[in-house]
Amino acid sequence: MDKRLSLHDDRLFPSDATQRAIARRLYAGVRTLPIVSPHGHTDPQWFAHNKPFADPATLLVIPDHYVFRMLYSHGVSLESLGVPRTDGGLVEKDSRRIWQLFAQHWHLFRGTPTQIWFNHVLHEVFGVREGLAPESADSIYDRIADCLARPEFLPRALYERFNIEVLSTTESPLDPLAHHQKLRASGWKGRVVPTYRPDPVVDPEFAGFADHVLRLGEITGEDTATWTGYLQALANRRKFFASQGATATDHGHPSALTCDLPRSRCETLLTKALSGKIAPAEAQEFRGQMLTEMARMSVEDGLVMQIHPGAYRNHNPRVFGAFGLDKGCDIPMRTDYVHDLKPLLDRFGNEKRLTIILFTLDESAYSRELAPLAGHYPALKLGPAWWFYDSPEGMRFYRERVTETAGFYNTVGFNDDTRAFPSIPARHDVARRVDCAFLARLVAEHRLDEDEARDVALDLAYKLAKQAYRL
Ligand SMILES: [Zn+2]
């Protein structure tokens, strides 16, 4: 079996001829725009050191939870895919064998966005022209390995080839940002900026919380055992991140709960959290208070705030125990934005200087809660269809549920949120195509003029992300 790999020019466009023709015209106007990637999880070290990527499996399989969670669901062990164990135990080290195992299961991805992204990466980044299958796995492996050894596949060269204008990474406040500093000092023109993600120091249930807060105190010279010192230390690190180019914070809480508590209660909760003797409901309260504190600091220092609630982290204790965080067993939960955000919105929802970008893993909240909230509060914007919904159907559903109440301009364009660096162009291309397809329907139904749709397509693909994230 020798199947050719090709990417159809009209992929993801409507099958209706009128709409398809409009979608093609709109897409032609945005296809080659630079990529603005305001939220993601690439490693700044890649760009600071600019060393070759190791091998095909280490680049494309082992770090990608979208990939290995599917294989795991069909009984393939994470050890056999080379995913490192936290105890340093034995896992597959042979990159080619991992790649072959992946290729044997490639059919599992039919109909998923991973298939679209991966085929795009093979075709556009590595010039592969045969479809991935057990029979072609070896020759495709060789081709990618050969590419990775060449200078035009070094991280900075790929960044330039992908036409990335700015790329945000995600770091803990304890991170010294050494790679970002090295990058800035190197004179390279690429723009890679950090994002302040304080979960390890504001979530009492984060493993090592008390130690992290102690360390935060050491770094900043503040007494983080006191409420005032703790807040001051967090503000200091925000200032440092901003000095290294950060324009945003990111908060990955289990729920969207926010609180506005009296100071004495905050002090009590901090003391309990640091002693490790805090009940789950109190930890929740503390996290909720910290979102409100972070919003207050954002009003002062101008950092854009992203709230990513609704993931039940590490749902599978056996996988978490053996492999740690981010191993494909985070599961979406129902989220209540209307009640949970109210304490924060009561204080800061009317602040024109504040931008809070809300994400959801609860699709049922789009038209019932999120679009009405973002369509009213000046401080609120809606982040794109994310994670499980970073997909053609997810994006379409998002536009259909959100646009009529919040418009396009309470949304913030696309972000790829990825660890898989070579897939960044693929992901942005899917978003551009799906948005053009959505706009084409509005034009075909005479709900929007085509010149308006052209402007909107440009804004969704490029301008809104820059504006919303102040990049
Ligand atoms: Zn993220």
Side-chain angles (χ1 to χ4, degrees), residues 209-247:
F209 170 78
D211 290 342
H212 294 152
V213 172
L214 197 65
R215 176 96 193 94
L216 178 69
E218 287 164 10
I219 296 171
T220 55
E222 297 286 344
D223 179 3
T224 50
T226 70
W227 181 242
T228 307
Y230 172 65
L231 293 182
Q232 192 52 50
L234 289 166
N236 285 353
R237 292 309 283 169
R238 293 172 62 107
K239 204 168 168 196
F240 172 66
F241 269 58
S243 77
Q244 297 304 309
T247 67

Side-chain angles (χ1 to χ4, degrees), residues 39-41 170 197 250 306 308 313 386-387 415-419:
H39 176 111
H41 301 271
T170 304
R197 180 153 180 165
D250 184 27
Q306 304 172 87
H308 284 90
R313 301 277 172 183
W386 165 61
W387 198 345
N415 74 55
D416 52 75
D417 193 27
T418 193
R419 294 172 166 73

